[in-house]
Amino acid sequence: MAFLDALHGRFQVVLAAHTKSGELAALSHLSRPDAAAIQPLAIAMPRLAPQSRLMVSFVAAATALAEYGRPLMVDLARIPAGHPLRAEPLGAYDFLDNVVREALEEKHGPLGSALPTLLPVFSADGENDRPDVLAAQRLDGRDGRGAVIRIAGLTRQTPAGWAEHLGKTTASLGIAPQRVDVVVDASYVDSVQERRVDQVCDVVAAVHQAMPVRSVTLLAGSVPPRRFVTQTMIKPRYEMELWSACAGSLSGELRYGDYGVVHPLQADTQLAGPVSTNPYLFYTAGRGSLYLSRQLPRDENRKIARGGGATKFREISTELARLSEFAGPRYSWGATPSSPAVPPETCETSVR
């Protein structure tokens, strides 16, 4: 129990990732220094079903993190009623925790049962699945893992209203505030205006005043919902600017959270038939995100030229390697910062 409590005091950054193959693979390859500073938050999408390939990837990511002593935060808000995970006898969270623990015990024997597995994420608005709440209470009683409460849709309530919701949700979970991590989710940020900063800072300040929680993180993302066809551009990291403005004006600790290279509200739609998407790459370094994309070459019949996708991706990769923003072949996720007040620089690529 003390091990888990001490662990949560160490993370500096929350990295949100959807349960999709590429993002889960990236989490599986975090290094030990990365895992010491970065707390991943997996947003479960409907394609994550008990017997799916994504479940294999999910378990691989969670077990890899557990071996470094890092539990995986899991947000089940997008898993609808009637989904196969919701049909599990003790609920979706209990099922996921069990499959991860079984994988750890199969690999490490009795020692595997001592490794941290998952950390549940609940909504502050009270709309939480009852079996997941009961599972969280049961598992917190066993190892003191606690829980995460996510505040989203900041304009739906006043800061005082969100603090009240936070208190009610914590009470309904039956978990001590000292074992609760709070994520204030500002979602998509396309600019940083004074009114926006004040709104977010007021919510964070209300959380700090409400109760002595384990941590408070501001989570946001600035990757647009649509990609350009052919362009090379550097865009500001508005999520970092927003965090800096709030962290610099508040007395309580505020940790940094980032959606990485995906839009925070990205839909999980199942498209019929083959899909061809233009090659693109996001490379995030320091306070800017470098975006490169190219249009797939097509012939006179509008068919994609054979090998065209590989050619265009090599083109943007070569262009990136020649730019001053390129930090070298060993740069991935970023070095751990010397101070918890400064979020680590990240390098993230995405090709669809």
Side-chain angles (χ1 to χ4, degrees):
M1 188 177 295
F3 170 74
L4 284 173
D5 287 339
L7 175 70
H8 287 286
R10 298 190 197 124
F11 80 81
Q12 299 166 7
V13 173
V14 167
L15 177 66
H18 295 85
T19 55
K20 297 186 176 182
S21 57
E23 294 173 67
L24 290 172
L27 295 183
S28 298
H29 291 90
L30 279 179
S31 67
R32 184 178 294 276
D34 291 336
I38 297 172
Q39 172 60 66
L41 188 163
I43 300 172
M45 307 302 278
R47 294 185 199 178
L48 184 68
Q51 302 302 321
S52 65
R53 290 184 179 180
L54 280 178
M55 184 60 69
V56 176
S57 299
F58 175 86
V59 172
T63 53
L65 291 166
E67 289 169 346
Y68 291 144
R70 174 66 63 198
L72 178 62
M73 291 179 175
V74 180
D75 189 338
L76 296 168
R78 298 195 194 184
I79 302 298
H83 188 277
L85 281 175
R86 295 296 185 197
E88 292 296 327
L90 297 179
Y93 176 62
D94 182 87
F95 172 82
L96 293 173
D97 189 75
N98 276 334
V99 294
V100 173
R101 182 154 316 275
E102 288 171 2
L104 287 168
E105 291 176 348
E106 182 178 351
K107 186 174 181 180
H108 299 284
L111 293 177
S113 61
L115 296 174
T117 50
L118 307 180
L119 193 61
V121 179
F122 294 100
S123 173
D125 62 15
E127 297 178 2
N128 296 298
D129 194 66
R130 185 61 181 167
D132 293 338
V133 171
L134 295 175
Q137 292 174 344
R138 183 169 61 256
L139 294 170
D140 177 70
R142 186 181 75 186
D143 56 29
R145 70 182 63 187
V148 182
I149 298 178
R150 178 170 161 264
I151 298 175
L154 303 188
T155 59
R156 295 203 308 263
Q157 296 283 341
T158 64
W162 277 122
E164 183 179 352
H165 274 279
L166 176 64
K168 290 180 178 178
T169 303
T170 302
S172 70
L173 292 174
I175 296 175
Q178 292 84 355
R179 296 200 299 279
V180 171
D181 299 293
V182 177
V183 173
V184 178
D185 190 350
S187 190
Y188 178 55
V189 182
D190 59 359
S191 64
V192 178
Q193 300 173 350
E194 185 176 353
R195 183 176 64 177
R196 178 74 159 172
V197 172
D198 290 344
Q199 175 195 72
V200 173
C201 289
D202 287 348
V203 173
V204 173
V207 170
H208 277 301
Q209 293 169 8
M211 59 184 67
V213 296
R214 186 161 56 188
S215 71
V216 183
T217 298
L218 174 59
L219 175 65
S222 63
V223 171
R226 292 184 178 86
R227 297 187 297 272
F228 301 103
V229 175
T230 300
Q231 190 169 13
T232 298
M233 61 180 289
I234 297 178
K235 58 180 293 299
R237 292 179 67 185
Y238 293 117
E239 60 269 61
M240 181 177 284
E241 292 181 12
L242 179 62
W243 172 83
S244 296
C246 289
S249 63
L250 295 169
S251 57
E253 181 188 42
L254 180 62
R255 302 183 188 186
Y256 177 76
D258 197 326
Y259 274 96
V261 297
V262 296
H263 184 64
L265 301 178
Q266 184 183 46
D268 186 57
T269 55
Q270 179 69 56
L271 301 176
V275 178
S276 298
T277 305
N278 295 313
Y280 72 98
L281 183 149
F282 271 106
Y283 186 88
T284 304
R287 295 185 176 272
S289 294
L290 183 61
Y291 172 70
L292 307 95
S293 66
R294 294 294 183 271
Q295 190 168 16
L296 286 169
R298 298 176 183 269
D299 60 23
E300 63 275 9
N301 297 317
R302 299 297 300 157
K303 291 185 178 181
I304 299 171
R306 185 168 183 174
T311 298
K312 289 299 180 181
F313 185 65
R314 279 196 298 270
E315 183 179 309
I316 59 176
S317 299
T318 300
E319 180 181 351
L320 169 63
R322 291 173 177 169
L323 294 173
S324 60
E325 289 80 8
F326 183 62
R330 293 184 164 222
Y331 183 66
S332 178
W333 295 97
T336 301
S338 57
S339 168
V342 182
E345 297 178 345
T346 58
C347 161
E348 296 154 339
T349 61
S350 183
V351 183
R352 300 282 194 271

